[in-house]
């Protein structure tokens, strides 16, 4: 028999599990060892040997290997071996960089792995989906991605979208009844089954895992999922195009060097080898790899700051963000709702305590009261527990932990303060049917049966405006009374007053059912209700959010609050956080519904709070901001948030409360659901982009300097300032470690004081192109000066002059690297701040000194010992490009400030 043909008890016997308590942890571990992890097999990884070999497929490296072969055939064995050593060393560096990037990706996948809520030893636990085993009882609700093949045991208005398997985009209603048929049903017709990879779009249910990992239906077609597309960011594409231009320019200039050298009478072989070495050094073939590593390092730093990047383009887009549309609850606030005010039967009570700890007292005015003796209050608290899906569990040290929605947790905590617990109520009452909360209805209802007398009634809770529209009775002096328009206005006025105190309000109502009456739809259940009362709760703002919003303001980023709360509640919180300026507007969901995207775009720049909105409204908000050319970051956690998250320039999902579908639609996941993390991610995104600009500036300026020193020498008829092996060594020593260290640089102090950069900004914007050319020209000029000065003063000692040129070029680049750390000047930052860069520079200097002073290497690198006088010349010359140009820049900056002050005085 197939699973869908079996009754629940047959499935239980076949799987050998316990529907009441689930599997014990020990049994689950045994099954995990026997059958393996619940995941699809990864695609084949590139073997390490082939990964290493792939480092040598670059055209210029192949040319260099050919030159090495020619050197060997001509008897230049030392040169050949040294060049081969440098090529191998470069290959190993590239290999380890790719391995690091691969490991970063693997850790990202592990961090973003979905979880499942399973029943283990009678307790519901959240575990990584890959640890689930056949026999586990799984609970799921709207927004959950199903992690294994399940036979459903319970289904409450549960709909599942199965397009990943069936291609059908419409959600399918699920049931738990056995399908007694002898026909073989297609996956889409197996109504009591839920399959791995499909999505719960509505309702909730409980199921038993009957297949896991590669034995699932998804596992049978896993070959479709093994192909992973390599995501290339727009920045990487722009740099790839730039690389092609630079290669053409470098080859042209290198060819000119070789041509001029041969015309000047230099040996053809020597010039050929020097030309190839210069081309290898000049072409930034490592640029894409370094960008990838910089992005990977940045992503790791963002993970440490609780921001998990799912899509690499988000990293660079973060630096362009101009608007952050943030949910209120849990992101701007602490997400620890606390009931402070209760209203029923024309009486207002206050309750003390905070968070989910059930410690607090009830007061009527200033008088402490016993809630058990206040029947309307007791009924209001009891119904808040019955119509509730959350659980408050007591852990060690008397600490209570919430599993579920914070609003529902607040209702449970308030009831516990009065001595009303879920476990005690469930001994007297039974939940027969649930109509789950829906963001469009803004209500949840349950059908409750009294076990003692068999009577049944409906309890509804939700937004007061919606609940009140569905009520026609209310409690008055302990009895039901007709609710007219006057009474409704009084309740609405109370809601307004509580909202102005930043309280979120939940209304509770009920209706007694006649014998045999069983509503099938929400519409049938949620009508002709009797209004019980209101529970007012507060979710205080996170302390760290105040500073984060202020920093975003200074960075030119507008923060917008989006919430389903009452407009006055949202306004009060926004004003408290300092995000609603004088003249800033608050817009409600009803106002949003009455306007088009085009109409909204005309006023959206003045709106700072969107209240009483549904998740569907978020898409309209995103489009309106984008119509104003904003780069929008949008947060969300629910299924209905997914379209807006996907449409935003930067979609942000909540890691703790977010549904799997929201996370999959997002490009960034906040593991702590905190607004401060969004600010930190934007700061890190800006810094990553800055770091990429830094080492592009450094590498290109260094390469320009290397080419120009050779080109100028050949054009002026000078001897070769550098031999091939020295050029290759400079490329290895100066381009490798220092460039990587720049990618690990901390953000500048003003990174969050600048306006967002334009999304189409050129990599050479803000005078970067001028800095590359001017520094490169100066590096080449001072190196040639040091070479010619030494050559003339030493009686044309070419090896000594080449050694001085070699040291000058290395030192000029290593001094220049500190200038690259700032957009301003070398004097703007502490040079010892980046310890990785200091270490890289010291290592490079040590390697340079080894080839200059270590006798066995002197013959290989054509170097000789240098005196103090030589080093004075080297250091003085090498400092000029950075110190002189930075000094000029500083003087020009002060002069500009002086003119600005003078203008202001006038």
């Amino acid at each position: 028999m197939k699973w869908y043909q079996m009754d629940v008890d047959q499935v239980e016997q076949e799987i050998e599990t316990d529907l009441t308590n689930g599997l014990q942890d020990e049994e689950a571990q045994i099954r995990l060892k026997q059958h393996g992890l619940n995941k699809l097999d990864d695609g084949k990884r590139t073997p390490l040997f082939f990964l290493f070999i792939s480092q040598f497929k670059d055209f210029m490296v192949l040319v260099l290997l050919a030159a090495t072969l020619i050197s060997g055939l001509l008897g230049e064995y030392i040169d050949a071996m040294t060049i081969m050593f440098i090529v191998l060393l470069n290959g190993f560096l590239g290999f380890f960089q790719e391995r690091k990037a691969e490991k970063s990706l693997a850790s990202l996948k592990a961090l973003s792995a979905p979880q499942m809520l399973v029943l283990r030893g009678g307790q519901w636990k959240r575990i990584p989906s890959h640890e689930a085993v056949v026999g586990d009882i799984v609970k799921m609700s709207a927004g959950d991605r199903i992690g294994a093949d399940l036979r459903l045991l319970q289904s409450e208005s549960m709909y599942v979208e199965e397009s990943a398997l069936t291609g059908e985009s419409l959600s399918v209603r699920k049931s738990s009844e056995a399908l007694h048929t002898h026909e073989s049903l297609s996956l889409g017709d197996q109504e009591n089954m839920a399959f791995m990879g499909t999505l719960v779009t509505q309702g909730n249910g409980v199921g038993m895992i009957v297949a896991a990992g590669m034995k699932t239906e998804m596992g049978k077609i896993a070959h479709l999922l093994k192909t992973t597309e390599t995501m290339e960011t727009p920045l990487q594409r722009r740099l790839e195009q730039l690389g092609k231009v630079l290669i053409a320019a470098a080859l042209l200039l290198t060819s000119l060097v070789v041509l001029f050298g041969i015309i000047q009478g230099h040996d053809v072989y020597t010039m050929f080898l020097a030309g190839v070495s210069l081309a290898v050094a000049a072409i930034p073939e490592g640029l894409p790899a370094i960008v990838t590593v910089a992005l990977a390092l940045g992503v790791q730093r963002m993970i440490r700051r609780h921001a998990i990047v799912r899509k690499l383009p988000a990293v660079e887009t973060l630096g362009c963000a101009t608007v952050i549309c943030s949910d209120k609850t849990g992101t701007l606030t602490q997400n620890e709702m606390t009931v402070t005010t209760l209203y029923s039967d024309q009486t207002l009570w206050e309750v003390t305590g905070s968070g989910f700890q059930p410690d607090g007292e009830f007061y009527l005015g200033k008088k402490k009261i016993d809630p058990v003796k206040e029947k309307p209050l007791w009924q209001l608290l009891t119904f808040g527990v019955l119509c509730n899906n959350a659980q408050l569990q007591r852990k060690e040290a008397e600490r209570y932990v919430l599993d579920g929605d914070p609003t529902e947790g607040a209702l449970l905590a308030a009831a516990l303060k009065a001595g009303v617990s879920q476990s005690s109520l469930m001994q007297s009452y039974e939940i027969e049917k649930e109509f789950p909360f829906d963001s469009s209805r803004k209500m949840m209802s349950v059908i409750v049966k009294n076990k003692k007398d068999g009577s049944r009634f409906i309890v509804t809770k939700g937004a007061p405006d919606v609940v009140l529209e569905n009520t026609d009775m209310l409690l008055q002096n302990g009895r039901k009374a007709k609710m007219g328009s006057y009474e409704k206005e009084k309740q609405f006025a109370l809601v307004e007053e509580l909202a102005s105190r930043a309280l979120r309000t939940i209304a509770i109502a009920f209706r007694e059912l006649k014998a045999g009456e069983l509503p099938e739809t929400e519409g049938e259940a949620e009508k002709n209700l009797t209004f019980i009362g209101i529970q007012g709760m507060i979710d205080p703002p996170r302390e760290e959010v105040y500073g984060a919003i202020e920093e975003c303001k200074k960075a030119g980023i507008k923060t917008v609050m989006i919430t389903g709360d009452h407009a006055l509640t949202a306004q009060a919180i926004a004003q408290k956080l300092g995000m609603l300026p004088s003249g800033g507007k608050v817009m409600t969901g009803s106002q949003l519904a009455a306007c088009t995207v085009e109409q909204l775009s005309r006023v959206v720049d003045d709106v700072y709070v969107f209240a009483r909105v549904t998740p569907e409204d978020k898409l309209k908000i995103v489009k309106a901001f984008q119509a104003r050319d904003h780069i929008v970051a949008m947060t969300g956690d629910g299924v209905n948030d997914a379209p807006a998250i996907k449409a935003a320039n930067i979609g942000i999902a909540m890691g703790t409360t977010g549904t799997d579908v929201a996370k999959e639609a997002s490009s960034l996941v906040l593991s702590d659901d905190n607004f401060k993390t969004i600010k930190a991610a934007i700061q890190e995104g800006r810094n990553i982009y800055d770091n990429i600009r830094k080492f592009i500036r450094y590498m290109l300026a260094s390469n320009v300097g290397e080419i120009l020193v050779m080109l100028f020498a050949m054009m002026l008829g000078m001897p070769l300032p550098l031999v091939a092996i020295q050029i290759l060594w400079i490329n290895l020593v100066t381009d490798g470690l220092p460039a990587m260290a720049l990618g690990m640089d901390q953000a500048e102090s003003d990174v969050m004081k600048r306006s967002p950069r334009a999304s189409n900004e050129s990599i050479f914007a803000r005078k970067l192109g001028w800095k590359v050319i001017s520094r490169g020209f100066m590096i080449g000029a001072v190196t040639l000066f040091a070479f010619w000065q030494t050559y003339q003063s030493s009686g044309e000692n070419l090896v000594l002059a080449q050694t001085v040129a070699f040291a000058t070029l290395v030192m000029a680049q290593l001094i220049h690297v500190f200038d690259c750390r700032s957009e301003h000047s070398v004097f703007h930052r502490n040079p010892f701040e980046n310890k990785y860069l200091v270490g890289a520079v010291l290592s490079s200097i040590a390697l340079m000194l080894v080839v200059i002073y270590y006798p066995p290497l002197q013959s290989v690198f054509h170097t000789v010992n240098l005196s103090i006088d030589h080093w004075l010349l080297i250091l003085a010359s090498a400092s000029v490009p950075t110190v002189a140009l930075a000094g000029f820049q500083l003087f020009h900056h002060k002069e500009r400030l002086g003119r600005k002050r003078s203008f202001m005085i006038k």
Side-chain angles (χ1 to χ4, degrees):
M1 289 178 71
K2 305 285 187 182
W3 296 117
Y4 59 81
Q5 295 172 324
M6 298 183 187
D7 290 316
V8 169
D9 55 348
Q10 289 179 284
V11 179
E12 181 182 16
Q13 292 174 10
E14 186 74 23
I15 298 293
E16 297 180 0
T17 190
D18 181 350
L19 295 181
T20 306
N21 298 305
L23 295 174
Q24 298 298 321
D25 284 329
E26 297 79 8
E27 174 61 23
Q29 288 301 316
I30 292 170
R31 295 190 183 194
L32 195 64
K33 288 178 182 176
Q34 285 178 342
H35 305 291
L37 294 173
N38 173 39
K39 65 176 187 177
L40 303 178
D41 290 346
D42 292 330
K44 291 182 179 178
R45 289 186 178 180
T46 306
L48 297 183
F49 174 74
F50 290 109
L51 188 64
F52 177 68
I53 292 297
S54 67
Q55 306 303 315
F56 305 97
K57 65 183 181 182
D58 184 82
F59 172 72
M60 292 312 301
V61 175
L62 293 175
V63 172
L64 190 59
L65 289 173
T68 307
L69 178 62
I70 294 170
S71 298
L73 294 174
L74 293 174
E76 301 288 343
Y77 300 118
I78 294 177
D79 279 2
M81 289 173 63
T82 308
I83 294 171
M84 181 60 73
F85 169 74
I86 292 171
V87 170
L88 287 171
L89 193 56
N90 265 318
F92 275 112
L93 285 173
F95 169 76
F96 287 120
Q97 284 173 4
E98 284 202 32
R99 284 286 291 158
K100 184 176 180 64
E102 194 176 84
K103 287 178 181 176
S104 300
L105 184 62
S107 65
L108 271 180
K109 286 181 178 177
L111 281 165
S112 59
Q115 294 187 320
M116 296 173 75
L117 185 61
V118 301
L119 185 64
R120 293 274 178 90
Q123 294 286 324
W124 290 103
K125 298 180 180 180
R126 290 197 179 276
I127 64 170
S129 61
H130 62 259
E131 292 181 8
V133 296
V134 171
D136 266 329
I137 309 299
V138 180
K139 185 188 285 186
M140 58 229 119
S141 56
D144 289 344
R145 181 72 64 180
I146 295 169
D149 285 2
L150 310 173
R151 168 65 166 85
L152 295 177
L153 309 175
Q154 296 173 27
S155 175
E156 293 290 342
S157 304
M158 182 173 163
Y159 287 79
V160 178
E161 192 261 294
E162 300 179 327
S163 61
L165 283 173
T166 64
E168 178 56 59
S169 59
L170 291 176
S171 298
V172 179
R173 187 176 182 119
K174 293 293 181 179
S175 71
S176 57
E177 300 299 321
L179 302 175
H180 298 297
T181 176
H182 297 294
E183 296 180 15
S184 181
L185 299 179
S186 65
L187 298 181
D189 292 327
Q190 296 177 22
E191 295 176 358
N192 56 11
M193 297 289 295
F195 302 103
M196 174 188 269
T198 60
L199 177 71
V200 182
T201 57
Q202 185 178 324
N204 54 63
V206 177
M208 183 195 307
I209 297 181
V210 294
M214 292 302 290
K215 293 182 180 176
T216 60
E217 294 298 329
M218 188 64 77
K220 294 174 185 176
I221 54 171
H223 63 279
L224 297 174
L225 305 173
K226 285 183 182 177
T227 348
T228 306
E229 293 182 8
T230 304
M231 187 174 294
E232 195 177 52
T233 73
L235 175 64
Q236 286 173 313
R237 286 195 294 272
R238 289 203 300 271
L239 290 178
E240 188 179 344
Q241 293 165 357
L242 171 66
K244 292 174 182 176
V245 174
L246 293 175
I247 286 173
L251 289 176
L252 176 63
L253 291 172
T254 303
S255 301
L256 288 175
V257 170
V258 176
L259 182 62
F260 278 119
I262 292 172
I263 292 172
Q264 294 292 344
H266 291 286
D267 180 62
V268 174
Y269 166 71
T270 303
M271 290 310 304
F272 168 74
L273 197 59
V276 170
S277 303
L278 190 60
V280 170
I283 293 170
E285 72 281 344
L287 192 58
I290 291 179
V291 169
T292 303
V293 171
L295 287 170
L297 291 172
V299 164
Q300 291 300 317
R301 284 198 300 271
M302 290 171 86
I303 288 170
R304 289 194 290 273
R305 299 182 78 170
H306 308 292
I308 301 168
V309 177
R310 294 192 68 256
K311 298 172 184 176
L312 275 182
V315 174
E316 56 186 277
T317 311
L318 279 166
C320 309
T322 57
V323 174
I324 302 172
C325 294
S326 173
D327 284 332
K328 176 181 75 69
T329 305
T331 307
L332 296 170
T333 59
Q334 295 178 19
N335 205 21
E336 283 210 349
M337 302 295 292
T338 305
V339 172
T340 60
T341 306
L342 301 109
Y343 171 82
S344 182
D345 198 2
Q346 307 176 72
T347 309
L348 200 66
W349 297 273
E350 303 291 334
V351 57
T352 62
S354 64
F356 301 125
Q357 299 302 111
D359 303 317
E361 308 290 346
F362 290 81
Y363 288 85
L364 179 58
K366 293 184 179 180
K367 181 184 176 184
K368 183 178 173 182
I369 56 109
D370 182 357
V372 177
K373 294 179 180 178
E374 303 280 339
K375 187 177 178 182
L377 175 59
W378 184 89
Q379 194 172 19
L380 179 64
L381 292 168
T382 300
F383 284 176
V385 175
L386 289 174
C387 189
N388 205 308
N389 275 325
Q391 286 186 323
L392 272 180
Q393 297 177 343
R394 187 161 61 182
K395 301 294 184 182
E396 60 277 355
E398 300 296 310
R399 181 170 167 268
Y400 280 75
V401 177
L402 172 68
D403 181 9
D405 180 73
T407 300
E408 294 190 324
L411 300 179
L412 296 180
L416 275 173
K417 291 173 186 177
V420 180
S421 69
Q422 276 176 312
S423 55
S424 61
L425 282 181
M426 288 305 109
Q427 291 175 9
S428 304
Y429 299 98
E430 177 187 347
I431 307 299
E432 286 190 338
K433 189 175 181 65
E434 178 184 326
F435 300 99
F437 176 82
D438 182 86
S439 57
S440 57
R441 283 176 27 248
K442 298 180 183 176
M443 290 188 292
M444 168 190 174
S445 298
V446 289
I447 297 177
V448 185
K449 179 181 178 181
N450 188 324
K451 293 180 181 178
K452 293 177 182 177
D453 58 17
S455 61
R456 294 157 59 250
F457 55 93
I458 290 171
V459 180
T460 297
K461 78 169 191 296
D465 52 342
V466 180
V467 173
L468 284 167
E469 287 300 326
N470 289 277
T471 57
D472 53 15
M473 305 287 285
L474 81 161
L475 280 185
Q476 204 165 37
N477 300 320
R479 298 173 177 232
K480 288 184 187 178
K482 191 76 176 173
M483 179 181 273
S485 57
Y486 174 73
E487 285 77 13
K488 279 192 180 181
E489 286 301 321
K490 281 180 64 179
Q491 313 309 324
F492 281 125
L494 174 66
V495 170
E496 295 270 325
E497 196 273 323
L498 294 176
S500 68
R501 290 159 48 186
L503 292 179
R504 182 178 183 182
T505 49
I506 296 292
I508 296 175
F510 85 110
R511 175 164 68 90
E512 294 169 344
L513 291 174
K514 298 174 184 176
E517 183 183 357
L518 183 63
E520 290 294 330
T521 65
E522 296 92 342
E524 293 175 16
E526 296 163 350
K527 65 179 182 180
N528 304 325
L529 299 171
T530 297
F531 180 72
I532 296 293
I534 292 171
Q535 297 200 35
M537 57 191 73
I538 190 166
D539 182 11
R542 292 178 183 263
E543 287 299 322
E544 64 273 19
V545 168
Y546 294 92
I549 288 174
E550 187 58 33
E551 278 195 69
C552 285
K553 278 184 188 175
K554 291 176 181 176
I557 303 167
K558 175 182 177 179
T559 305
V560 176
M561 178 193 292
I562 298 180
T563 178
D565 271 356
H566 193 283
L568 287 175
T569 305
Q571 183 175 334
I573 294 285
Q575 287 172 337
K576 199 171 183 180
L577 287 169
M579 61 185 292
L580 183 62
S582 175
K585 293 181 180 178
V586 178
M587 184 173 274
T588 63
S590 57
Q591 291 172 316
L592 265 176
C595 63
T596 64
V597 171
E598 185 182 352
Q599 290 169 330
L600 178 59
S601 68
R602 293 176 197 150
V603 298
V604 76
D605 281 336
D606 297 322
V607 181
Y608 288 80
V609 177
F610 290 93
R612 272 292 184 261
V613 299
T614 64
E616 288 82 356
D617 292 327
K618 286 186 174 183
L619 186 58
K620 184 183 282 188
I621 296 168
V622 168
K623 289 180 176 178
F625 274 118
Q626 288 174 334
R628 302 288 295 175
D629 294 326
H630 284 290
I631 303 298
V632 185
M634 170 63 80
T635 70
D637 54 11
V639 179
N640 293 342
D641 291 331
I645 291 173
K646 199 166 186 178
N649 303 88
I650 308 156
I652 303 173
M654 301 297 109
T656 305
T657 59
T659 57
D660 289 342
V661 69
K663 292 174 188 175
E664 288 183 19
S666 70
S667 44
L668 192 73
V669 177
L670 308 183
S671 60
D672 61 353
D673 294 9
N674 193 335
F675 178 84
K676 184 183 178 183
T677 304
I678 303 176
K679 189 274 300 181
I682 289 175
Q683 181 178 352
E684 196 60 61
R686 289 186 175 192
N687 186 42
I688 289 169
Y689 186 80
D690 284 353
N691 286 349
I692 290 170
R693 277 173 54 92
K694 288 173 192 176
F695 59 69
I696 287 174
R697 171 181 168 184
Y698 171 66
M699 287 179 68
L700 294 187
S702 299
N703 292 354
V704 167
E706 290 167 22
I707 289 179
L708 291 183
V709 71
M710 297 291 283
L711 181 60
F712 290 160
M714 295 304 95
M715 290 175 69
L716 295 171
M718 294 180 182
L720 274 178
L722 299 165
V723 295
I725 200 73
Q726 290 173 343
I727 296 170
L728 289 172
W729 189 251
I730 290 170
N731 185 52
L732 177 69
V733 168
T734 62
D735 282 4
L737 292 175
M740 284 295 298
L742 278 176
M744 304 174 78
D745 214 357
Q746 296 299 313
E748 287 198 70
S749 57
D750 65 345
V751 71
M752 289 298 283
K753 294 176 184 175
R754 308 180 211 143
S755 297
R757 63 180 174 84
S759 57
N760 58 350
E761 178 185 280
S762 164
I763 198 75
F764 291 110
R766 290 174 270 152
K767 298 184 180 179
L768 184 65
W770 160 249
K771 289 174 182 176
V772 166
I773 294 170
S774 60
R775 266 59 164 187
F777 179 86
M778 291 289 287
I779 288 170
V782 298
T783 302
L784 193 61
F785 167 77
F787 166 75
W788 187 245
Q789 177 68 25
T790 306
Y791 185 69
Q792 292 292 326
S793 62
S794 64
E796 299 187 354
N797 185 337
L798 182 58
V799 177
L800 176 61
Q802 287 175 335
T803 306
V804 169
F806 168 69
T808 303
L809 189 55
V810 170
M811 290 307 300
Q813 292 182 12
L814 295 181
I815 293 171
H816 173 59
V817 77
F818 290 101
D819 189 28
C820 295
R821 292 188 62 228
S822 174
E823 293 280 346
H824 307 288
S825 78
V826 70
F827 306 116
H828 190 73
R829 302 190 74 177
N830 179 355
F832 304 107
E833 198 175 40
N834 185 340
K835 59 185 179 182
Y836 301 105
L837 183 60
V838 172
V841 167
L842 291 175
S843 301
S844 299
I845 292 172
L847 289 170
M848 174 190 68
L849 294 175
V850 167
V851 300
I852 290 175
Y853 288 104
Y854 186 52
L857 292 178
Q858 286 180 331
S859 58
V860 174
F861 287 91
H862 305 277
T863 57
V864 293
N865 291 346
L866 298 176
S867 67
I868 295 294
D869 290 341
H870 294 135
W871 279 111
L872 290 174
L873 173 65
I874 290 165
L875 293 175
S877 302
S879 301
V880 169
T882 295
V883 176
L885 286 171
F888 170 77
Q889 193 175 21
L890 191 64
F891 173 78
H892 184 65
H893 177 66
K894 286 183 177 178
E895 189 181 32
R896 194 166 62 245
L897 281 177
R899 287 199 302 269
K900 187 177 179 182
R901 288 195 191 98
S902 175
F903 175 77
M904 289 173 71
I905 291 169
K906 290 177 184 178

